Amino acid sequence: MENGGEENKKMNRISTWIKQNTMLKLLSLFLAFVIWLTVVNFSNPEIKDVTTVEVEVLNGDKLTSADKIYSLNSKTVKINYKVRTKDRNKVKPSDFRAYIDLKDYSITGAVPVYVEVSDNVRGMISGATPSPMVIHVTTEDLQKKRFEIELNTIGSPMEGYYVANGSVSPGYVYISGPVSEIGQISKVGIEVDVTEANTDLSGDASLKFYDANGNPISVDGRIKANRDSISYMVPIQKIKSLSITADVMGEPAEGYVFEEIDLSPNFISVYGPDSVLKKHLSISIPASEMDITGSTKSITKAIDITPYIPQGLNLAQPGAEITVIAKIRKLPETTVSETEDESASESESETEESSEEPSSEHTKETNAENKKETVSDSKKETASESRKETSGETKKETVDSTELSTEDNLE
């Protein structure tokens, strides 16, 4: 009984102490909390932090289904938040999700940014807000265009080899994107490096975009192609030098003569498969290309050699024109006597060629007759001289007689 009474007295004293000085006790409790909070803040204070995340786009098909394409004035946002110092390293950018919903799109183009925090760090951070709080969305008409694939080579093959026309598969590609971006694309192609190549090349290459001047350009991420790479095959073929020959047709005018034909150049380089190159050493220009009928001067003509290149071969040099010169010379003029002498000479030559060789007996008879004629002629000359002498003597005698007759008369 005594022990029970003592315990009751103690409880009464505690109850009385609790009930007395209530304000002082509450103040003490508050001060204790402040002290605890101060200690915590000093040892693990709450700080402001920021991280950058990429903005997701929801319901983008709302615009693309209307043949529209959109672009954002910013593809990332910053997220500001508060976190305890000790928890700072536990928070990662992947713990945040920033997104816009194009259902909120309006004519102003301003769409609010929403932020979500993962459950992993939800209790560690507070006050997560995006910056900027809105994203401006710009829309543009969507265009889809077909482009033929161009095969471009860079570098030079090994000496003595030529890069022949290659092929691509497929030969075209469809490009889609904003009208403004598609308008900057003039050509689409691939590039193949042929440096020091001496065999055929094949493989796949990525697409390249070019402007109207053929310069490569970069395009933004809104440009899409129905395929990213193109297959190619580039033949590398040997080069061979072939000589060029030519002929003329017809005859020049009377009094003129054709001398020779000159070619510039007189060799030309071609390329092609080995099996075809081995069959050819030269290229001939037909005579029909150089008609000199009735010409009185040399003829110069530029002829395209392309039609006369053997099938399976191609020119390996720029320029397919060959300069052909048919040289024509005028014959020297001749006098009438020279012409008659030439005619007589030609006639005698023809007579000698057509006559038979005389026999030896006939030759002797002819010589004998010639001798007789010679003797007869000699006799005639002698007789003639004799007559002259006789006539002279007669004239002398007549003169003498005349002189005597004159003298008699004088006497």
Side-chain angles (χ1 to χ4, degrees), residues 247-260:
D247 202 353
V248 297
M249 180 178 69
E251 295 292 337
E254 186 176 353
Y256 294 82
V257 64
F258 166 69
E259 287 189 319
E260 61 179 351

Side-chain angles (χ1 to χ4, degrees), residues 22 45 66 82 99 128 131 137 202 211 228 264 303 334 340:
T22 304
K82 295 178 180 180
Y99 65 92
S131 177
V137 180
S202 61
D211 61 17
D228 297 324
S264 179
I303 299 176
T334 57
E340 291 177 352

Side-chain angles (χ1 to χ4, degrees), residues 141-172:
D141 290 338
L142 178 66
Q143 182 181 10
K144 185 177 182 180
K145 187 175 180 180
R146 170 173 164 159
F147 289 90
E148 301 298 321
I149 300 297
E150 292 190 357
L151 175 58
N152 302 311
T153 59
I154 55 177
S156 300
M158 184 179 292
E159 186 176 358
Y161 288 84
Y162 192 89
V163 180
N165 293 331
S167 60
V168 296
S169 178
Y172 61 90

Side-chain angles (χ1 to χ4, degrees), residues 382-403:
T382 303
S384 175
E385 291 176 357
S386 178
R387 283 196 297 269
K388 289 180 179 179
E389 292 176 357
T390 303
S391 175
E393 291 177 353
T394 302
K395 288 181 178 180
K396 187 178 181 182
E397 290 177 355
T398 303
V399 171
D400 292 342
S401 297
T402 304
E403 291 177 351

Side-chain angles (χ1 to χ4, degrees), residues 31-152:
L31 290 174
F33 174 76
V34 171
I35 294 171
W36 172 83
L37 185 62
T38 302
V39 172
V40 170
N41 284 335
F42 273 108
S43 62
N44 188 25
E46 186 177 60
I47 59 173
K48 292 181 179 181
D49 207 349
V50 63
T51 187
T52 302
V53 297
E54 189 172 346
V55 177
E56 297 180 29
V57 179
L58 302 181
N59 298 308
D61 55 351
K62 177 183 177 181
L63 295 177
T64 55
S65 60
D67 289 333
K68 297 285 185 179
I69 194 166
Y70 61 87
S71 61
L72 311 181
N73 69 327
S74 177
K75 294 182 179 180
T76 61
V77 293
K78 293 180 178 180
I79 297 178
N80 300 294
Y81 61 94
K82 295 178 180 180
V83 65
R84 293 290 175 184
T85 303
K86 292 183 178 180
D87 296 329
R88 182 180 184 183
N89 294 332
K90 299 177 182 179
V91 180
K92 299 179 178 59
S94 58
D95 292 322
F96 299 91
R97 180 191 179 207
Y99 65 92
I100 61 173
D101 193 338
L102 289 186
K103 286 183 178 180
D104 300 329
Y105 176 78
S106 63
I107 193 171
T108 63
V111 179
V113 179
Y114 301 97
V115 175
E116 291 182 356
V117 180
S118 68
D119 295 336
N120 297 333
V121 296
R122 191 181 299 275
M124 301 179 188
I125 65 173
S126 62
T129 55
S131 177
M133 300 186 71
V134 295
I135 294 289
H136 288 276
V137 180
T138 304
T139 61
E140 191 175 352
D141 290 338
L142 178 66
Q143 182 181 10
K144 185 177 182 180
K145 187 175 180 180
R146 170 173 164 159
F147 289 90
E148 301 298 321
I149 300 297
E150 292 190 357
L151 175 58
N152 302 311

Side-chain angles (χ1 to χ4, degrees), residues 125-250:
I125 65 173
S126 62
T129 55
S131 177
M133 300 186 71
V134 295
I135 294 289
H136 288 276
V137 180
T138 304
T139 61
E140 191 175 352
D141 290 338
L142 178 66
Q143 182 181 10
K144 185 177 182 180
K145 187 175 180 180
R146 170 173 164 159
F147 289 90
E148 301 298 321
I149 300 297
E150 292 190 357
L151 175 58
N152 302 311
T153 59
I154 55 177
S156 300
M158 184 179 292
E159 186 176 358
Y161 288 84
Y162 192 89
V163 180
N165 293 331
S167 60
V168 296
S169 178
Y172 61 90
V173 67
Y174 284 101
I175 306 295
S176 60
V179 173
S180 60
E181 292 291 326
I182 295 293
Q184 297 180 20
I185 302 173
S186 180
K187 301 175 183 177
V188 178
I190 60 173
E191 292 182 352
V192 179
D193 189 355
V194 298
T195 303
E196 292 300 313
N198 59 3
T199 57
D200 295 347
L201 303 175
S202 61
D204 295 326
S206 58
L207 293 173
K208 302 287 184 181
F209 301 93
Y210 305 89
D211 61 17
N213 296 321
N215 300 316
I217 58 174
S218 58
V219 295
D220 67 19
R222 295 177 295 168
I223 295 295
K224 305 295 181 182
N226 64 329
R227 61 185 303 136
D228 297 324
S229 63
I230 300 294
S231 300
Y232 65 85
M233 201 289 288
V234 180
I236 307 296
Q237 298 178 336
K238 285 186 177 180
I239 297 176
K240 185 176 182 179
S241 184
L242 302 181
S243 62
I244 304 173
T245 61
D247 202 353
V248 297
M249 180 178 69

Side-chain angles (χ1 to χ4, degrees), residues 9-20:
K9 289 178 180 180
K10 289 181 180 179
M11 292 297 295
N12 290 331
R13 285 196 297 269
I14 292 172
S15 177
T16 302
W17 181 83
I18 293 175
K19 292 178 180 179
Q20 292 176 351

